[in-house]
Amino acid sequence: MPGTFEHLPGGGAAVALDEVEISIIRSLTVQLLELIGPGPAEDGPADPLAELFAEGPSEPPSDPVLRRLFPDAYTDPGRAPASAEQAEEQREYSAEFRRYTENDLRTGKRENALAVVRSLDELAADATGSGAVLKLTPEEARPWLGALNDLRLAIAARLDITDEDESALLFRLPDDDERKPMVMAYLWLGGLQETLVQALMP
């Protein structure tokens, strides 16, 4: 089980994590939370009605990680618009879509990341010198899948990875390359994500 999720009888998945691995995932997830930003309840008293009608931003984020996590809905980075009119139309559609969806997307990503941090904190409290086994029900696994995907997207944005072929090339970086630790984290999180999906399959 070390390093990969395995299926649990009756449903769910489990993975053995040592203290360093717990610390790495927690640290990366906390950094992700800081990027996503606080939720409405953290900014002040919650007003459900105001939150229902609250509008989000209309412009893409300036940070490349946030742009990867919250991409424009009506633009294709691999294909240039056919005309200036089409480019403006795509920009307007994307702005409108972002205005009414980004707040909810941020809330979902924030909740996934918080669930991961909480489960890791519980795991760390029970860990011995050799670590502990994280056990997830199918319901608990869903936020983990979302957060692992977001963590990989965030690292890929920092490393300027746009496809898996590029990550394979980065894997062969010399050990003294400053990008190597993040590349290894990217590949390791990918293995966790893939085996979690497989472990949850019926």
Side-chain angles (χ1 to χ4, degrees):
M1 190 188 310
T4 59
F5 277 97
E6 293 188 1
H7 178 74
L8 285 175
V15 62
L17 297 171
D18 62 32
E19 291 178 342
V20 173
E21 292 168 334
I22 294 171
S23 176
I24 290 171
I25 300 174
R26 190 187 188 283
S27 175
L28 290 172
T29 307
V30 168
Q31 291 176 54
L32 179 66
L33 279 166
E34 291 171 350
L35 263 177
I36 293 171
E42 297 170 70
D43 291 332
D47 182 345
L49 190 61
E51 289 177 25
L52 181 64
F53 293 101
E55 292 186 5
S58 59
E59 295 298 321
S62 58
D63 187 286
V65 171
L66 292 177
R67 282 202 304 273
R68 186 75 65 95
L69 293 173
F70 305 104
D72 275 337
Y74 291 92
T75 58
D76 182 354
R79 180 185 300 173
S83 64
E85 290 78 10
Q86 185 184 43
E88 179 60 21
E89 185 178 73
Q90 289 178 349
R91 192 199 68 76
E92 290 177 0
Y93 287 161
S94 293
E96 191 74 1
F97 185 83
R98 184 180 296 278
R99 184 177 296 118
Y100 294 109
T101 61
E102 186 169 314
N103 284 347
D104 287 341
L105 290 173
R106 282 182 182 260
T107 296
K109 291 180 184 298
R110 187 183 300 113
E111 289 174 351
N112 288 342
L114 284 170
V116 168
V117 170
R118 292 183 185 117
S119 59
L120 288 174
D121 285 346
E122 292 174 7
L123 188 67
D126 298 333
T128 63
S130 58
V133 176
L134 173 70
K135 296 181 180 180
L136 302 173
T137 66
E139 292 74 23
E140 293 168 336
R142 277 193 285 272
W144 265 83
L145 283 171
L148 286 172
N149 187 62
D150 287 342
L151 288 172
R152 293 190 78 236
L153 286 173
I155 295 173
R158 290 289 187 238
L159 293 171
D160 201 24
I161 296 172
T162 56
D163 59 44
E164 290 302 317
D165 290 339
E166 291 176 359
S167 68
L169 291 173
L170 288 170
F171 182 69
R172 295 193 288 273
L173 288 173
D175 290 340
D176 60 354
D177 192 296
E178 63 181 12
R179 296 169 293 172
K180 188 79 171 192
M182 290 305 293
V183 171
M184 299 307 294
Y186 175 80
L187 296 170
W188 174 54
L189 292 171
L192 287 177
Q193 183 183 15
E194 182 179 355
T195 57
L196 180 53
V197 170
Q198 293 171 347
L200 295 172
M201 288 180 177

